[in-house]
Amino acid sequence: MKKMNNLFKKICLWSLVVTMASCDFLDTKPYDFVAPETFYQNEKDCTMALAGVYYTLVKGTVYGNNYSLMFSNTDDLSYFAREFDGNPVKNHGAVCNTHDAANAQLFDTWTDLYDGINNANVLLDNIDKAEFPEDKEYIRQRIKGETKFLRAYYHFLLVQGWYEVPIRTETVTDIATSSKAATPHAEALDWIIQEMEDCIDMVDDKEYDKSPSHVKKTIVEGILARVCLWRAGYPSEGGQPFYEKAAKYAKAVYDSKKHKLYQNDIYAIWKMMASDQYDPEYNESMWEAEFIGTRDDGKYTEGRMGNEIGNMQNANCGKGYGAAFYAGSLILWDLYEKNPGDLRRDLAMAPYQIAANGTEKAWGKTAIVERCCGKFRREWEKSTPQHKNFTEENFPILRYADVLLMLAEAELESKGVTTLAVSAINEVRTRAGIGKLPETISADALRQEIRDERGRELCFEALRKYDLIRWGIYVETISKNLANAIEDARWSNKKANRSGAEGFTRSTQDKHQFLPIPNKELSVNTKLEQNSYWNPKK
């Protein structure tokens, strides 16, 4: 175990100077003191600008809170453990599907993702002007590859979230003259896939192997598998060719032998993500949104892992506050109980809360849905002093366990039940302490096992909602399956544990598979129309 190779510790301050988007904590825009046509002189300048492109990942509007939690983390397994009153502001809007196109958080996230894309375009426009020593030309190519990938990834987050959005590959200097129509969903995904494929041999395949901060070859391949699975399913229904591509890229990660599942301690990688540590032996956590410091120690980040999501921790205990807005549903509990002894149950659904005196207070045997997300816990943080709300806990964007389950799914959907498909899911099950599936399993049974296994392994990681959507079962799963689970006698009658979940099931409609394009954006971009999920006239 070693201290994490932290991109932002090295160059985050520089990125705040050169990024082309204004920062929350600066009153003036960077254009006031640096111009792109004069800034890009050498490798150092380009590296600083690259950090500015990465910085979008750790904005509070992206993986710090909005996109990772509010927009993506309520589903059939994770519910909002607060009272529901239908107020789109008080209940964080998208958390309970009460939002509309006027929601400020949607606009802020939309804006920051496009700022990240514009930062990437500025760097790509100018990097060839910079002087690199002849023996460092490979670094120029690497920076280009990381930048192109991040630009494509930010577009994917937008397409996954808002359905149809403009693809922007040119720098925007004046939004008033940059109106652009949305690219059709399937066409946008095909562009994203091609862009990422172009990056495979441009990004690093050696130096960054031990760092989850940087984009490297196996990350590009793993994310490509994710994008191809989305392209294969609903709503673009690309089918077989894209399942084959997903299998190809997931297997490329598998064959690299650079990543393994952490063994003997199911909690280890989560404790490391909470304490700025990384394990170079297994490399299970492949790519993380990496938050640093606590604000109180002079380092500014916008991460709320452990605070908004995580185990319940009393603010008076002196070690930070765990608000515990997200708790595990009865459906998640029953998924674990399907295989008694699953080691992940008490990791995902913490069996205790932290009391005001700092001690563990166990939940009773009948307290099931009171159990909050346990993957992020303030007690695992090492930094001091601890801020009440902002933390240095990282968020996993891609784990090797996800790659194995994507491999199993893509193999099944492209080839049927194969030895590799069964082996991949069994690798995840074995680490969790549950039995292997037989190779004689039917295709339908394996499909359901993969879906269940993704729930058990990847809950609370901003993936389940999008799995349900691409499988074409989101609305039914929320409005019917979750609603039925809430009526189970085992579900608590406490308002905080029932009201938010009930409100979510009542609010969910077909349109909530995607977010509405913000009204503010529509008022500025005159060529853009509201997406068809939120515009019944289209």
Side-chain angles (χ1 to χ4, degrees), residues 465-485:
K465 172 185 175 180
Y466 304 111
D467 282 347
L468 296 176
I469 292 171
R470 67 183 178 84
W471 293 332
I473 59 174
Y474 174 77
V475 177
E476 178 184 4
T477 300
I478 303 304
S479 61
K480 181 179 178 181
N481 297 2
L482 181 59
N484 289 341

Side-chain angles (χ1 to χ4, degrees), residues 256-293:
S256 75
K257 306 300 181 185
K258 291 186 175 185
H259 305 278
K260 296 177 288 186
L261 298 181
Y262 198 101
Q263 299 298 319
N264 303 319
D265 185 354
I266 206 78
Y267 295 81
I269 64 169
W270 299 98
K271 290 181 178 179
M272 286 186 277
M273 275 187 265
S275 58
D276 194 25
Q277 299 287 325
Y278 187 57
D279 176 67
E281 180 181 355
Y282 294 97
N283 303 312
E284 178 181 345
S285 184
M286 297 172 62
W287 191 23
E288 299 174 9
E290 192 170 342
F291 303 97
I292 61 168

Side-chain angles (χ1 to χ4, degrees), residues 57 85 130 195 228 231 287 306 317 343 351 387-388 408 410 425 431 480 538:
L57 291 171
D85 63 5
E195 281 285 292
C228 288
R231 178 67 173 88
W287 191 23
C317 73
L343 300 174
H387 192 279
K388 177 184 176 182
I425 186 175
R431 196 266 295 267
K480 181 179 178 181
K538 289 185 72 174

Side-chain angles (χ1 to χ4, degrees), residues 206-341:
K206 184 177 180 181
E207 289 184 32
Y208 294 158
D209 279 352
K210 308 301 182 183
S211 169
S213 306
H214 301 80
V215 170
K216 47 189 177 283
K217 186 174 182 178
T218 53
I219 286 176
V220 176
E221 292 166 334
I223 295 296
L224 265 167
R226 181 179 294 170
V227 177
C228 288
L229 281 178
W230 180 270
R231 178 67 173 88
Y234 180 85
S236 64
E237 306 288 3
Q240 179 81 8
F242 292 96
Y243 283 122
E244 291 175 356
K245 274 199 169 190
K248 170 187 172 182
Y249 290 120
K251 191 170 187 301
V253 179
Y254 179 85
D255 289 341
S256 75
K257 306 300 181 185
K258 291 186 175 185
H259 305 278
K260 296 177 288 186
L261 298 181
Y262 198 101
Q263 299 298 319
N264 303 319
D265 185 354
I266 206 78
Y267 295 81
I269 64 169
W270 299 98
K271 290 181 178 179
M272 286 186 277
M273 275 187 265
S275 58
D276 194 25
Q277 299 287 325
Y278 187 57
D279 176 67
E281 180 181 355
Y282 294 97
N283 303 312
E284 178 181 345
S285 184
M286 297 172 62
W287 191 23
E288 299 174 9
E290 192 170 342
F291 303 97
I292 61 168
T294 65
R295 296 193 180 196
D296 287 341
D297 62 3
K299 297 171 184 175
Y300 184 98
T301 53
E302 300 177 353
R304 303 293 293 274
M305 307 309 137
N307 170 250
E308 292 252 339
I309 188 171
N311 196 24
M312 187 176 292
Q313 183 159 304
N314 192 292
N316 296 320
C317 73
K319 296 181 180 180
Y321 176 43
F325 285 134
Y326 302 89
S329 75
L330 195 58
I331 296 175
L332 178 59
W333 177 267
D334 286 346
L335 279 178
Y336 288 124
E337 292 301 283
K338 181 181 176 181
N339 300 286

Side-chain angles (χ1 to χ4, degrees), residues 42 96 151 229 256 258 264 321 389 396 414 434 457 527:
N42 51 44
C96 290
R151 181 178 67 176
L229 281 178
S256 75
K258 291 186 175 185
N264 303 319
Y321 176 43
N389 295 321
S414 62
I434 61 178
E457 179 66 32
K527 293 183 180 179

Side-chain angles (χ1 to χ4, degrees), residues 351-372:
Y352 61 86
Q353 58 179 305
I354 300 297
N357 63 3
T359 61
E360 295 181 6
K361 183 179 179 181
W363 293 108
K365 289 184 178 181
T366 60
I368 298 175
V369 297
E370 288 90 339
R371 289 179 171 222
C372 302

